Amino acid sequence: MGVDLSPLVVKEKVSIRDFSGMTFAIDGYNILYQFLSSIRQNDGTPLMDSKGRVTSHLSGCFYRSISLMEAGIRPVFVFDGKPSRLKAATIRERVQAKEKAAEELIVAREKRDMERVRSLSARVNYITRDMVGETKALLSAMGIPYVQAPSEGEAQASYMCRTGQVYGVVSQDYDCLLFGSKRVFRNFTSGGRRKIPGKNMYVPVSPEMIDLDRTLEANGITYDQLVDMAIMIGTDFNTGIEKVGPKTALKLIKQHGSIESVLSSRGEVIENLDEIKAIFKTPSVEEKPEIKFRAPDRDKIIQILCDEHQFASERIDPFIETLISTYGGRSQTSLDTF
DNA sequence: CCATGCCA
DNA sequence: TGGCATGGG
């Protein structure tokens, strides 16, 4: 997924309690995928309503949002719009990888290899238009704002961070740094556990913050050079230079200063270079999206979760009460100061 | 993922 | 009380 910048980034373990009162952009597709792949039975089946429609994303969105609100975090979900034409190859690859996993899943089911069934099921996820629509409806009922990006959601969320509309971007994906997010937060939950792939075991995970400026400083590069490096390594929008990973890219950028110099010294070309740079640096975004928290609508939440999707009301009721009290108990003005 | 129930 | 297994939809 995206460019592997992990060897370069400067991470810091944090606690979500330290960010009480601050607004965060949540990468909607990223979090929906996480819910979809992890909220499952042991046999790999996702949660479903009486009509067989998947509801894992709604469960995840409901409980996660409330736990964040309870910790004083103001989440704004950001959803993807139309992808760039340059992403077509990446999207095709992902579809193919899922088709392959789906075939392997059939074999694993026949063999009754339950560990494998579970891990493969987690990879065969499709976020449908309906799922996104239901999630938006649920968020509205909960009084939590969301933003529809014209193009890349990560670009929109990062723009909101760059311009101080949110403090940070919550995503597992380091690509947000390329879009100029000042801070990217991973594992942004209070009670962190994550399943070890392939094994029925869990490891504790704590939230971590990746700071763009400190990452740049630690590597002795500029933001423009980071973008250049990513393009050399390969992004969702291009395949990169053969055999260039994070280490080589860093060496090359230090040696030559820019991707143009690297390419000319090697006699190589990257198609659509300026367009790729523009996707990261000057993306199509909604500049001033409305970020307004509203009073939760209890009846509407119950209608969506219980009436339409058979959630047990005695289970969710106390959480709706918590949500309502977090709304009532907070100050309405919260321009993030930093 | 998050919640709950059970048992040490 | 808390660590683990299981259920949720």
Side-chain angles (χ1 to χ4, degrees):
Chain A
M1 195 92 189
V3 197
D4 182 21
L5 300 172
S6 54
L8 305 169
V9 302
V10 177
K11 302 177 207 172
E12 183 192 343
K13 295 239 182 274
V14 295
S15 162
I16 63 167
R17 296 275 159 196
D18 301 335
F19 304 97
S20 184
M22 295 178 177
T23 309
F24 286 77
I26 306 209
D27 183 345
Y29 265 76
N30 190 272
I31 207 163
L32 253 40
Y33 265 114
Q34 282 179 243
F35 292 148
L36 235 46
S37 49
S38 62
I39 305 182
R40 283 164 186 273
Q41 314 271 73
N42 287 320
D43 66 358
T45 325
L47 301 186
M48 287 184 293
D49 67 13
S50 58
K51 290 183 177 164
R53 296 173 297 192
V54 172
T55 56
S56 298
H57 58 300
L58 297 177
S59 179
C61 184
F62 179 72
Y63 291 115
R64 174 69 65 84
S65 299
I66 290 171
S67 82
L68 289 176
M69 292 284 281
E70 222 183 337
I73 305 296
R74 298 159 60 82
V76 182
F77 286 70
V78 178
F79 293 100
D80 278 339
K82 193 173 178 290
S84 159
R85 65 179 188 93
L86 295 181
K87 207 174 179 177
T90 297
I91 293 169
R92 210 178 315 118
E93 274 168 32
R94 286 178 192 167
V95 169
Q96 280 165 1
K98 280 179 201 180
E99 283 169 352
K100 185 161 168 280
E103 285 169 23
E104 289 173 39
L105 178 59
I106 295 167
V107 178
R109 282 224 178 87
E110 283 167 356
K111 287 186 183 163
R112 304 271 187 278
D113 182 349
M114 283 317 172
E115 281 291 0
R116 191 154 171 73
V117 166
R118 205 185 192 288
S119 89
L120 285 168
S121 300
R123 282 193 266 155
V124 189
N125 292 318
Y126 294 93
I127 295 179
T128 65
R129 205 179 291 275
D130 283 351
M131 287 179 185
V132 175
E134 288 162 350
T135 305
K136 288 176 177 174
L138 177 62
L139 289 169
S140 294
M142 294 175 77
I144 295 170
Y146 66 82
V147 176
Q148 174 61 58
S151 188
E152 298 292 323
E154 287 177 334
Q156 177 72 46
S158 302
Y159 177 83
M160 288 160 67
C161 182
R162 263 196 287 154
T163 52
Q165 300 178 73
V166 299
Y167 183 75
V169 178
V170 176
S171 176
Q172 293 302 103
D173 223 321
Y174 294 122
D175 283 24
C176 295
L177 297 172
L178 302 175
F179 290 103
S181 278
K182 289 169 182 288
R183 304 169 198 86
V184 178
F185 291 78
R186 307 176 83 219
N187 311 322
F188 204 58
T189 57
S190 34
R193 280 189 340 151
R194 174 148 307 136
K195 199 179 179 301
I196 299 171
K199 294 194 158 201
N200 217 349
M201 288 171 65
Y202 293 84
V203 280
V205 285
S206 56
E208 60 188 31
M209 177 174 78
I210 296 100
D211 188 287
L212 175 60
D213 288 340
R214 271 195 277 151
T215 293
L216 296 176
E217 202 180 330
N219 290 287
I221 53 173
T222 64
Y223 165 70
D224 287 342
Q225 289 177 320
L226 180 69
V227 174
D228 281 2
M229 282 172 58
I231 297 170
M232 285 188 240
I233 297 164
T235 70
D236 284 353
F237 313 99
N238 75 297
T239 46
I241 306 174
E242 197 120 342
K243 292 199 298 190
V244 172
K247 281 181 96 170
T248 310
L250 184 60
K251 205 173 72 189
L252 289 171
I253 207 74
K254 297 254 189 185
Q255 213 173 335
H256 299 279
S258 72
I259 190 167
E260 286 81 2
S261 304
V262 172
L263 291 171
S264 70
S265 78
R266 295 165 67 110
E268 295 184 48
V269 173
I270 286 177
E271 298 287 317
N272 309 305
L273 179 57
D274 290 339
E275 194 181 343
I276 298 163
K277 284 189 180 186
I279 290 173
F280 291 118
K281 297 182 190 181
T282 54
S284 158
V285 291
E286 185 78 44
E287 288 189 18
K288 281 270 176 285
E290 189 189 35
I291 301 174
K292 191 171 165 58
F293 287 80
R294 295 167 200 277
D297 184 335
R298 182 193 279 107
D299 292 345
K300 208 164 218 165
I301 298 172
I302 291 190
Q303 188 216 313
I304 295 169
L305 293 182
C306 305
D307 300 350
E308 287 176 30
H309 298 294
Q310 291 78 52
F311 282 66
S313 59
E314 59 274 25
R315 221 177 144 106
I316 65 164
D317 274 343
F319 291 93
I320 299 178
E321 291 313 314
T322 305
L323 181 65
I324 290 168
S325 66
T326 61
Y327 177 79
R330 78 175 37 265
S331 71
Q332 302 301 333
T333 57
S334 171
L335 286 172
D336 289 50
T337 45
F338 54 89

Short mmCIF file of all heavy atoms in Angstrom, two decimals, chain A residues 232-234 239-249 251-252 266 268:
data_model
loop_
_atom_site.label_atom_id
_atom_site.label_comp_id
_atom_site.label_asym_id
_atom_site.label_seq_id
_atom_site.Cartn_x
_atom_site.Cartn_y
_atom_site.Cartn_z
N MET A 232 10.85 8.25 -7.02
CA MET A 232 11.92 7.31 -7.44
C MET A 232 11.65 5.90 -6.95
O MET A 232 11.91 4.93 -7.65
CB MET A 232 13.26 7.77 -6.84
CG MET A 232 13.88 8.95 -7.51
SD MET A 232 15.53 9.14 -6.79
CE MET A 232 15.39 10.75 -6.11
N ILE A 233 11.13 5.81 -5.73
CA ILE A 233 10.86 4.48 -5.14
C ILE A 233 9.65 3.85 -5.82
O ILE A 233 9.59 2.65 -6.05
CB ILE A 233 10.60 4.62 -3.62
CG1 ILE A 233 11.84 5.16 -2.89
CG2 ILE A 233 10.21 3.27 -3.01
CD1 ILE A 233 11.55 5.67 -1.48
N GLY A 234 8.69 4.70 -6.15
CA GLY A 234 7.43 4.22 -6.75
C GLY A 234 6.27 4.55 -5.84
O GLY A 234 6.33 4.30 -4.64
N THR A 239 5.57 3.67 -11.24
CA THR A 239 6.26 2.45 -10.81
C THR A 239 7.66 2.69 -10.25
O THR A 239 8.22 1.80 -9.63
CB THR A 239 6.36 1.42 -11.96
OG1 THR A 239 6.79 2.11 -13.14
CG2 THR A 239 5.03 0.75 -12.21
N GLY A 240 8.22 3.86 -10.44
CA GLY A 240 9.53 4.13 -9.85
C GLY A 240 10.69 3.59 -10.65
O GLY A 240 10.51 2.95 -11.69
N ILE A 241 11.90 3.89 -10.15
CA ILE A 241 13.11 3.43 -10.83
C ILE A 241 13.43 2.02 -10.33
O ILE A 241 13.34 1.73 -9.14
CB ILE A 241 14.30 4.36 -10.53
CG1 ILE A 241 13.96 5.83 -10.87
CG2 ILE A 241 15.54 3.91 -11.30
CD1 ILE A 241 15.04 6.82 -10.47
N GLU A 242 13.81 1.19 -11.27
CA GLU A 242 14.14 -0.20 -10.94
C GLU A 242 15.18 -0.29 -9.80
O GLU A 242 16.17 0.42 -9.81
CB GLU A 242 14.69 -0.88 -12.19
CG GLU A 242 14.69 -2.39 -12.09
CD GLU A 242 13.84 -3.02 -13.20
OE1 GLU A 242 13.01 -2.31 -13.81
OE2 GLU A 242 14.00 -4.21 -13.42
N LYS A 243 14.89 -1.16 -8.86
CA LYS A 243 15.81 -1.46 -7.75
C LYS A 243 16.17 -0.25 -6.86
O LYS A 243 17.23 -0.23 -6.25
CB LYS A 243 17.09 -2.13 -8.27
CG LYS A 243 16.81 -3.54 -8.82
CD LYS A 243 18.06 -4.37 -8.91
CE LYS A 243 19.06 -3.78 -9.86
NZ LYS A 243 20.19 -4.71 -10.14
N VAL A 244 15.31 0.75 -6.84
CA VAL A 244 15.53 1.87 -5.92
C VAL A 244 14.51 1.81 -4.79
O VAL A 244 13.31 1.90 -5.01
CB VAL A 244 15.44 3.24 -6.65
CG1 VAL A 244 15.46 4.38 -5.63
CG2 VAL A 244 16.58 3.40 -7.63
N GLY A 245 15.03 1.58 -3.58
CA GLY A 245 14.20 1.60 -2.37
C GLY A 245 14.52 2.83 -1.55
O GLY A 245 15.24 3.71 -2.03
N PRO A 246 14.03 2.89 -0.31
CA PRO A 246 14.24 4.09 0.51
C PRO A 246 15.72 4.46 0.70
O PRO A 246 16.06 5.65 0.63
CB PRO A 246 13.62 3.68 1.85
CG PRO A 246 12.66 2.60 1.54
CD PRO A 246 13.18 1.89 0.35
N LYS A 247 16.56 3.48 0.90
CA LYS A 247 17.98 3.78 1.18
C LYS A 247 18.69 4.37 -0.04
O LYS A 247 19.40 5.37 0.06
CB LYS A 247 18.72 2.51 1.63
CG LYS A 247 18.46 2.16 3.09
CD LYS A 247 19.23 0.91 3.50
CE LYS A 247 20.54 1.27 4.18
NZ LYS A 247 21.17 0.05 4.80
N THR A 248 18.49 3.71 -1.18
CA THR A 248 19.11 4.19 -2.42
C THR A 248 18.56 5.57 -2.80
O THR A 248 19.32 6.45 -3.23
CB THR A 248 18.86 3.20 -3.57
OG1 THR A 248 19.20 1.89 -3.12
CG2 THR A 248 19.68 3.55 -4.79
N ALA A 249 17.26 5.71 -2.62
CA ALA A 249 16.64 6.99 -2.97
C ALA A 249 17.25 8.14 -2.16
O ALA A 249 17.53 9.21 -2.69
CB ALA A 249 15.13 6.92 -2.74
N LYS A 251 20.22 8.21 -0.81
CA LYS A 251 21.60 8.42 -1.29
C LYS A 251 21.60 9.24 -2.58
O LYS A 251 22.36 10.20 -2.73
CB LYS A 251 22.26 7.05 -1.52
CG LYS A 251 23.78 7.08 -1.44
CD LYS A 251 24.36 5.67 -1.49
CE LYS A 251 24.24 5.07 -2.88
NZ LYS A 251 24.62 3.62 -2.89
N LEU A 252 20.70 8.86 -3.49
CA LEU A 252 20.63 9.55 -4.78
C LEU A 252 20.21 11.01 -4.64
O LEU A 252 20.76 11.88 -5.32
CB LEU A 252 19.66 8.81 -5.73
CG LEU A 252 20.12 7.46 -6.26
CD1 LEU A 252 18.98 6.76 -6.99
CD2 LEU A 252 21.33 7.62 -7.19
N ARG A 266 21.35 9.35 -14.95
CA ARG A 266 21.22 7.93 -15.27
C ARG A 266 20.66 7.70 -16.66
O ARG A 266 20.51 6.55 -17.09
CB ARG A 266 20.31 7.25 -14.24
CG ARG A 266 20.87 7.24 -12.82
CD ARG A 266 19.80 6.90 -11.81
NE ARG A 266 19.31 5.54 -11.91
CZ ARG A 266 19.54 4.60 -11.01
NH1 ARG A 266 20.27 4.86 -9.94
NH2 ARG A 266 19.05 3.38 -11.17
N GLU A 268 17.58 8.25 -17.53
CA GLU A 268 16.27 7.63 -17.41
C GLU A 268 15.16 8.67 -17.43
O GLU A 268 15.41 9.86 -17.29
CB GLU A 268 16.18 6.80 -16.12
CG GLU A 268 17.14 5.61 -16.14
CD GLU A 268 16.99 4.73 -14.92
OE1 GLU A 268 15.84 4.40 -14.58
OE2 GLU A 268 18.01 4.38 -14.30
#
